[in-house]
Amino acid sequence: MDAAAISAASSFISSPTRFRCFDPTNPSSSVNFRSVSVAGSGLRTSPIRIRVSASVSASNNNSVAMDRFAKHGGGEMVEGRRKVVSGPGGYVLEDVPHFSDYIPDLPTYPNPLQFNPCYAVVKQYFVNVDDSVAQSNVVHKDSPRGTHFRRAGPREKVFFQPDDVQACIVTCGGLCPGLNTVIRELVCGLYHMYGVTRVLGIEGGYRGFYARNTIPLTPKSVNDIHKRGGTLLGTSRGGHDTSKIVDSIQDRGINQVYIIGGDGTQRGASVIFEEIRGRGLKVAVVGIPKTIDNDIQVIDKSFGFDTAVEEAQRAINAAHVEAESVDNGVGIVKLMGRYSGFIAMHATVASRDVDCCLIPESPFYLEGPGGLFEYIEKRLKENGHIVIVIAEGAGQDLISESMSSMQLDASGNRLLQDNGLWLTQKIKNHFKQKKMPINQKYIDPTYMIRAVPSNASDNVYCTLLAQSAIHGAMAGYTGFTVGPVNNRHAYIPFYRITEKQNKVVITDRMWARLLSSTNQPSFMDCGKETRQEKDLQIPPLCDFQKKCVTNDSKTDHSKSDGAVLS
């Protein structure tokens, strides 16, 4: 932290700054602010823990306001556009933005759900304002309470009257089972729960905001779309022009934007939200995470994943039938998983017919002791056949430089080579040299899987996602993604969704279960030094370090607390 930031922090903490304490969904507290003088007020409460970012400037150190003062100590502050609440016992709430953060004195209205006959049997209509969902549900006796997110659900007061709402829905990126279900439930939820009758569909992804006409969506027009794959609205990659998109939103009078897409789409939604907040517009921007690879972090899983795993079983079963029906049969199935191998891993564990699963997170090698070729030969001698599942991102580093490509698609993703065909050819050449005849069958069901309609489990999940998104937007929350955290739906800030991808942890129990099912080698000797340097981010040894390691090679480091270079 530099001197200016330290000076600003000192001035801020020592000055009699007054904090606003209010609940954004409670009209009485949001209109009649109760000021609390922190310095010299004699206020008896637990100490406030304030984390000051180095970006704080001396010119605005007294303008920092807390949106809420925790009942039992701690406090909420905006830290570099991030709302963080700290409380006793190591409690941390990573909150989401709200209209009241940047638009003062907004009126609120009774939630129409309390007059909806469908909810008459519900004992508790509304979510308590203090409800939050823990990110981790496994804790030790003395461990901190940890990170929490605001619980999703209807609030007692809303910030929109139904007649004033003009909502829009857009789908971006690749296809995924369940897209049409989410669209349907957004439209029907807005209509039937809140009485919103003006819902627009944005065609063709982000560029549809400024390059295509909108289509009106009604419960009648979307009634049967959940029975079809794909998306009613069409989709595309790229086309994100923030200024044009927000201009279109403003010109069309849209005040609720529902954006369905993966991590790249959610990054775009975050930029749109920042532009809208910068313009001071009362527009809720809500993200609904969509990725068939299940590579969005924080949430338990993404919609369409269960359907994808179920459909992958059909391809694996076909490969197994083909392989076991001939001598030395080799069935190879390529599944989706650019950077994360969740589909391949779960489909393998569920199938029990797979002998080897290759994913991007677990490097492998072909030749030599413990390599893939040795394992294939062993399984063929033992069982007479073998089934291999490979995720599309696995082994890309093994593909020769002449075949590799650093071209990017419109979403910024690196275009991958067909590792399934590459592996098929490598296996064929290897056993040809060994003069061992094999019968190979290669199946690539990628686009068949993502184009199917969602199954029953995903349909229920999509309904909960859509309704949770609607509740959040009507309650005035914005700039968030909705999803299940420990089986409870929560509102998650965009930055937590987009900061990194969710990946298979090959040191976790789930991967161990797969290895015990397939009996495949772990390939842990694969490029040991390279993997440590790349994945563990250990820098390569310099000449001096190598000399030290050589001279010290006889020393027993097994009881050392430090890292051992070997």
Side-chain angles (χ1 to χ4, degrees), residues 126-140:
F126 307 114
V127 172
N128 189 290
V129 66
D130 290 326
D131 283 358
S132 60
V133 179
Q135 183 175 3
S136 175
N137 60 356
V138 179
V139 296
H140 298 291

Side-chain angles (χ1 to χ4, degrees), residues 12 18 129 224 256 280 287 342 413 431 467 475 517 532 546:
F12 167 72
R18 301 176 72 84
V129 66
D224 294 325
Q256 289 187 13
F342 286 102
N413 300 314
F431 285 98
Q467 293 186 0
S517 172
Q532 285 182 335
K546 290 178 180 177

Side-chain angles (χ1 to χ4, degrees), residues 87-359:
Y91 173 88
V92 176
L93 172 65
E94 296 197 28
D95 207 355
V96 297
H98 192 272
F99 287 152
S100 56
D101 296 338
Y102 62 95
I103 305 177
D105 303 328
L106 284 174
T108 59
Y109 313 96
N111 193 320
L113 279 180
Q114 59 187 308
F115 310 114
N116 190 320
C118 297
Y119 283 78
V121 296
V122 179
K123 292 183 179 179
Q124 183 178 348
Y125 283 112
F126 307 114
V127 172
N128 189 290
V129 66
D130 290 326
D131 283 358
S132 60
V133 179
Q135 183 175 3
S136 175
N137 60 356
V138 179
V139 296
H140 298 291
K141 181 176 65 174
D142 300 323
S143 62
R145 295 175 64 188
T147 300
H148 293 65
F149 301 102
R150 188 171 289 278
R151 183 183 175 189
R155 267 55 180 178
E156 186 175 0
K157 299 294 180 181
V158 296
F159 281 73
F160 292 98
Q161 291 196 27
D163 293 340
D164 296 334
V165 175
Q166 172 94 313
C168 76
I169 305 169
V170 62
T171 55
C172 306
L175 295 181
C176 177
L179 279 170
N180 276 334
T181 306
V182 175
I183 295 171
R184 181 189 187 279
E185 296 308 313
L186 283 172
V187 175
C188 292
L190 285 166
Y191 263 75
H192 300 316
M193 291 193 302
Y194 287 96
V196 174
T197 59
R198 294 186 297 164
V199 184
L200 300 176
I202 306 297
E203 293 186 303
Y206 275 133
R207 62 171 49 91
F209 277 101
Y210 55 86
R212 302 280 291 272
N213 291 325
T214 61
I215 58 174
L217 299 176
T218 65
K220 184 177 181 179
S221 67
V222 300
N223 185 52
D224 294 325
I225 63 172
H226 63 290
K227 300 176 182 178
R228 308 196 301 265
T231 166
L232 172 72
L233 303 177
T235 186
S236 67
R237 299 186 184 274
H240 190 283
D241 188 317
T242 306
S243 181
K244 288 184 178 180
I245 291 173
V246 177
D247 286 345
S248 175
I249 291 172
Q250 196 168 0
D251 293 342
R252 297 177 190 273
I254 295 171
N255 49 23
Q256 289 187 13
V257 182
Y258 297 94
I259 301 174
I260 310 170
D263 56 345
T265 300
Q266 301 303 311
R267 280 192 289 271
S270 178
V271 175
I272 291 173
F273 159 69
E274 292 295 344
E275 177 68 17
I276 286 174
R277 177 161 62 177
R279 297 188 189 187
L281 303 178
K282 184 188 173 184
V283 178
V285 180
V286 182
I288 299 177
K290 178 267 322 170
T291 168
I292 201 170
D293 292 345
N294 197 40
D295 58 1
I296 292 181
Q297 67 159 354
V298 179
I299 65 174
D300 296 343
K301 65 178 178 180
S302 54
F303 73 83
F305 176 71
D306 282 352
T307 304
V309 172
E310 185 177 304
E311 287 297 314
Q313 300 297 295
R314 303 177 188 274
I316 293 173
N317 182 61
H320 181 251
V321 170
E322 290 283 353
E324 71 173 355
S325 299
V326 295
D327 292 334
N328 291 335
V330 179
I332 299 176
V333 180
K334 176 186 171 184
L335 298 176
M336 284 162 292
R338 177 180 292 272
Y339 305 114
S340 304
F342 286 102
I343 293 179
M345 178 177 69
H346 283 259
T348 295
V349 173
S351 170
R352 305 294 177 179
D353 288 330
V354 179
D355 300 289
C356 185
C357 177
L358 305 173
I359 62 174

Side-chain angles (χ1 to χ4, degrees), residues 372-442:
L372 180 61
F373 290 156
E374 181 184 80
Y375 177 65
I376 293 174
E377 187 172 348
K378 175 186 174 183
R379 296 298 287 181
L380 290 177
K381 290 180 179 178
E382 292 176 349
N383 297 339
H385 69 276
I386 185 172
V387 176
I388 301 172
V389 168
I390 182 169
E392 61 180 327
Q396 290 290 328
D397 56 332
L398 298 179
I399 300 178
S400 64
E401 292 293 334
S402 59
M403 294 179 61
S404 63
S405 171
M406 288 303 293
Q407 294 180 343
L408 304 178
D409 63 17
S411 295
N413 300 314
R414 183 164 70 94
L415 294 175
L416 302 180
Q417 296 298 319
D418 192 331
N419 57 357
L421 289 175
W422 167 80
L423 182 61
T424 301
Q425 190 61 44
K426 284 289 186 180
I427 294 173
K428 179 180 178 181
N429 294 341
H430 173 78
F431 285 98
K432 184 177 181 180
Q433 291 178 358
K434 299 200 63 152
K435 297 182 179 180
M436 180 178 175
I438 61 172
N439 290 281
Q440 285 196 105
K441 296 295 185 291
Y442 172 53

Side-chain angles (χ1 to χ4, degrees), residues 503-524:
K503 294 189 176 184
V504 173
V505 180
I506 61 172
T507 57
D508 202 1
R509 289 191 183 92
M510 191 62 185
W511 186 247
R513 295 185 186 107
L514 179 143
L515 295 179
S516 66
S517 172
T518 62
N519 293 313
Q520 70 186 67
S522 64
F523 302 112
M524 293 302 289

Side-chain angles (χ1 to χ4, degrees), residues 482-495:
V482 64
V485 180
N486 290 323
N487 292 319
R488 290 284 188 180
H489 283 250
Y491 299 141
I492 307 162
F494 278 137
Y495 67 85

